Amino acid sequence: MEFSLKDIKQDFPIFHNSDLVYLDSASTTQKPQVVLDRISSMYSEANANVHRALYSLGSVATERYENSRKKVSSFIGANSDKEIIFTSGTTESINLLAHTLTDKLKPGDEILLSEMEHHSNLVPWQLAANRTGASISYIPLSKKGELDLSEPERYFKPSTKIVSITHVSNVLGTINPLKKISEMAHEMGAVFVVDGAQGAPHCSVNVKEIGCDFYTFSGHKMLGPTGIGVLWGKLELLESMEPFMGGGEMIETVTMESSTWNEVPYKFEAGTPNFVQAVGLGSAIDYINSIGINNISDHETKLTEYALEKLADIDNFRLFGSPIDRTGVISFNIDGIHPHDLAQFLNEDNIAIRVGHHCAQPLLASLNETSIGRLSFYLYNNESDIDNFCDSLTRIKAYF
Ligand code: 7TS
């Protein structure tokens, strides 16, 4: 199905009567009116705590919350909506795993990450390694910015217990070969966790086809609200894990001495969940489905090709990474202009890009950089956004 770019921008109130050029969707995405309306209608029509109110309003809120879980489940091809745990975001989802999966880790065991991980898929594992005495090893990157899997036996070993890798690099845009990694992890008997923060918003995801054990992502990076994210896990693994946080709803019985746990997924949803945001995420998924995730990724591929071609003509433009399989993320520096100066000058033209270390300091260290610029696209971007960026960049270069 073809979709009209002009109409798409109209769905997002932030672009109404504005010349904003928003090129920072890897940080967070803008929200379509339908998502904003859904959030508002939750507060104005269906605001009651979920799973505990016996009155009708509570049933409406619970139904909408659980319906959203079903939408998430089918969006990523899960076996059952019981496998969907709502969290506050990718960061919380990974922290949950880094606490609950590491119970049995001991000195000598290894956690395998890669050099392109976001701090959210790195620091929680470092904390777990410190707690348990396990060690961490890293899959290095090739010159192109892809995972170097040429000598898998150096990284996938019998001592490897957990492999946690990003679906897509938030700096280089590299789409990682998850199926292959899943096979290598499982051959060693390790559990395979995917950081899908930059994957789920841009690529068609089917967790069964990937073959992973856990997949995590954030609502705000896919047109949904902040404060809501997802942890998907295989049911039998979730059932075998201890809870992460204790509190209301996650229990079956509580005595003065001890407690027993509610069934999955509620065992992992202590306290009042972010049910309004969860419903907002369900609405974002409806919106994405109405356009088609494959149409979105095709659109981003075309925009990225268009941008890379234009940027190649700009003197002193240094591109980081040239992965074959990539999403709409382009990282760069302009020799002679500090990225922070560049961002400030672009801002004067109402162009928003992110500069800095992108919460991936080990990756930047491997590039010998401390700060770089990044453009990241989503369905609402178009060629004129890229033209505006290039025109502004040319003016800024002339000034410098
Ligand atoms: N993993 C990856 C690959 C990410 O890109 C991010 C956020 C996270 C995890 C954490 O997600 P959160 O929703 O829990 O914060 N990435 C970025 C970014 O690239 N710029 O700002 C946030």
Side-chain angles (χ1 to χ4, degrees):
M1 187 183 80
E2 283 290 316
F3 64 97
S4 156
L5 297 175
K6 196 161 152 275
D7 292 346
I8 292 282
K9 252 191 186 174
Q10 282 310 307
D11 290 348
F12 293 77
I14 205 153
F15 297 122
H16 292 178
N17 307 315
S18 161
D19 63 355
L20 171 66
V21 175
Y22 187 73
L23 298 172
D24 195 21
S25 291
S27 288
T28 198
T29 57
Q30 301 304 338
K31 318 302 171 198
Q33 189 66 51
V34 282
V35 170
L36 301 176
D37 289 347
R38 190 67 175 159
I39 294 167
S40 173
S41 89
M42 275 304 285
Y43 286 122
S44 57
E45 295 165 11
N47 189 45
N49 210 330
V50 292
H51 295 144
R52 55 204 95 194
L54 287 182
Y55 42 84
S56 307
L57 204 55
S59 310
V60 175
T62 303
E63 199 185 304
R64 290 190 188 185
Y65 180 58
E66 291 305 326
N67 203 21
S68 192
R69 200 188 300 278
K70 289 192 175 74
K71 289 177 188 180
V72 171
S73 173
S74 77
F75 187 67
I76 58 166
N79 266 329
S80 148
D81 46 339
K82 285 187 192 164
E83 296 180 329
I84 305 300
I85 292 153
F86 284 119
T87 63
S88 65
T90 308
T91 301
E92 187 186 314
S93 300
I94 296 174
N95 274 278
L96 187 161
L97 293 172
H99 268 83
T100 50
L101 286 179
T102 50
D103 287 355
K104 296 180 189 69
L105 285 190
K106 53 184 188 322
D109 289 343
E110 285 188 46
I111 300 167
L112 179 59
L113 310 176
S114 85
E115 281 182 6
M116 66 166 74
E117 300 310 318
H118 186 279
H119 297 167
S120 290
N121 191 32
L122 215 159
V123 183
W125 300 113
Q126 287 178 339
L127 291 169
N130 291 345
R131 253 190 341 262
T132 59
S135 59
I136 299 182
S137 48
Y138 294 90
I139 302 174
L141 304 189
S142 70
K143 282 216 170 68
K144 281 184 165 169
E146 293 167 337
L147 295 181
D148 182 354
L149 294 166
S150 56
E151 293 176 276
E153 61 288 352
R154 284 182 61 190
Y155 308 105
F156 294 85
K157 295 183 279 193
S159 52
T160 310
K161 301 298 173 204
I162 295 169
V163 178
S164 190
I165 303 286
T166 193
H167 187 167
V168 173
S169 161
N170 68 316
V171 178
L172 307 171
T174 317
I175 303 176
N176 286 321
L178 297 183
K179 248 180 163 166
K180 194 169 158 187
I181 298 169
S182 173
E183 282 162 17
M184 294 193 274
H186 288 148
E187 233 169 82
M188 293 300 130
V191 167
F192 181 35
V193 177
V194 179
D195 171 353
Q198 304 290 349
H202 305 280
C203 311
S204 169
V205 172
N206 184 306
V207 287
K208 289 198 291 280
E209 276 175 22
I210 293 170
C212 54
D213 298 297
F214 298 96
Y215 191 95
T216 61
F217 56 102
S218 299
H220 72 101
K221 291 193 198 285
M222 48 187 289
L223 313 179
T226 46
I228 190 74
V230 172
L231 165 64
W232 167 83
K234 282 183 182 157
L235 192 59
E236 64 274 19
L237 290 173
L238 293 172
E239 282 173 342
S240 70
M241 283 154 51
E242 284 296 303
F244 174 43
M245 294 199 287
E249 275 306 300
M250 51 73 72
I251 52 85
E252 183 187 44
T253 59
V254 178
T255 67
M256 302 279 246
E257 289 76 33
S258 62
S259 309
T260 59
W261 314 136
N262 202 341
E263 61 187 7
V264 169
Y266 310 113
K267 180 170 81 171
F268 295 105
E269 293 183 358
T272 299
N274 288 341
F275 59 92
V276 173
Q277 291 83 344
V279 172
L281 172 58
S283 162
I285 287 176
D286 286 342
Y287 181 84
I288 289 173
N289 285 340
S290 74
I291 291 160
I293 189 79
N294 290 328
N295 285 328
I296 294 172
S297 57
D298 287 351
H299 173 65
E300 290 175 26
T301 302
K302 281 186 202 137
L303 272 188
T304 308
E305 281 165 7
Y306 179 77
L308 287 173
E309 210 165 290
K310 280 200 86 160
L311 294 167
D313 289 341
I314 295 181
D315 288 340
N316 300 333
F317 181 91
R318 255 189 318 122
L319 177 70
F320 295 109
S322 50
I324 292 167
D325 225 0
R326 71 185 301 162
T327 61
V329 174
I330 296 175
S331 284
F332 65 96
N333 263 338
I334 308 284
D335 290 334
I337 309 180
H338 192 280
H340 293 235
D341 291 335
L342 179 66
Q344 270 177 5
F345 276 90
L346 287 166
N347 183 49
E348 283 175 18
D349 289 338
N350 211 7
I351 298 174
I353 72 159
R354 186 175 168 190
V355 293
H357 57 57
H358 307 280
C359 299
Q361 286 185 11
L363 171 54
L364 262 78
S366 76
L367 298 171
N368 279 323
E369 300 287 341
T370 50
S371 181
I372 60 181
R374 180 186 69 186
L375 312 179
S376 54
F377 310 135
Y378 211 12
L379 71 171
Y380 37 66
N381 290 117
N382 55 31
E383 290 184 358
S384 84
D385 289 333
I386 292 161
D387 295 343
N388 284 329
F389 170 77
C390 290
D391 291 347
S392 184
L393 186 56
T394 307
R395 279 196 300 275
I396 295 166
K397 283 187 75 226
Y399 175 83
F400 273 86

